[in-house]
Amino acid sequence: MQHSTIIVRAEWDDEAKVWVASSDDVPGLALESESLEALQNRVLGALEDLIEFNGLQFETPEIPVHFIAEQIARVPNPAY
């Protein structure tokens, strides 16, 4: 199956205080880092090996990687 892009989800783990990356497009991608920037660098470094290892095929010489970051923040409720 050919792909045209990779979507990487980064979620903040408040308990561990790290960003965690995963992707449905690249099996085996599971990395964490203390900063989003460091996580992105680690992910980009790992993708080439994981793409080859998984035998993934892409339509372009350079593969677009979309990072989607999610972090839940809370504000105090003034009614309490």
Side-chain angles (χ1 to χ4, degrees), residues 4-75:
S4 59
T5 187
I6 295 171
I7 296 174
V8 175
R9 298 203 180 282
E11 295 181 24
W12 178 250
D13 182 333
D14 199 41
E15 189 174 311
K17 304 293 186 213
V18 294
W19 285 96
V20 180
S22 63
S23 177
D24 291 338
D25 299 324
V26 182
L29 180 64
L31 295 169
E32 62 182 43
S33 280
E34 292 180 4
S35 75
L36 196 52
E37 182 179 349
L39 181 64
Q40 182 175 338
N41 290 335
R42 290 190 68 203
V43 166
L44 293 174
L47 281 177
E48 187 175 345
D49 290 336
L50 287 170
I51 290 167
E52 183 177 0
F53 178 79
N54 287 300
L56 301 176
Q57 300 292 316
F58 289 86
E59 302 168 354
T60 59
E62 290 184 334
I63 305 160
V65 180
H66 297 264
F67 284 89
I68 300 170
E70 182 176 343
Q71 179 179 18
I72 297 173
R74 302 183 191 283
V75 296

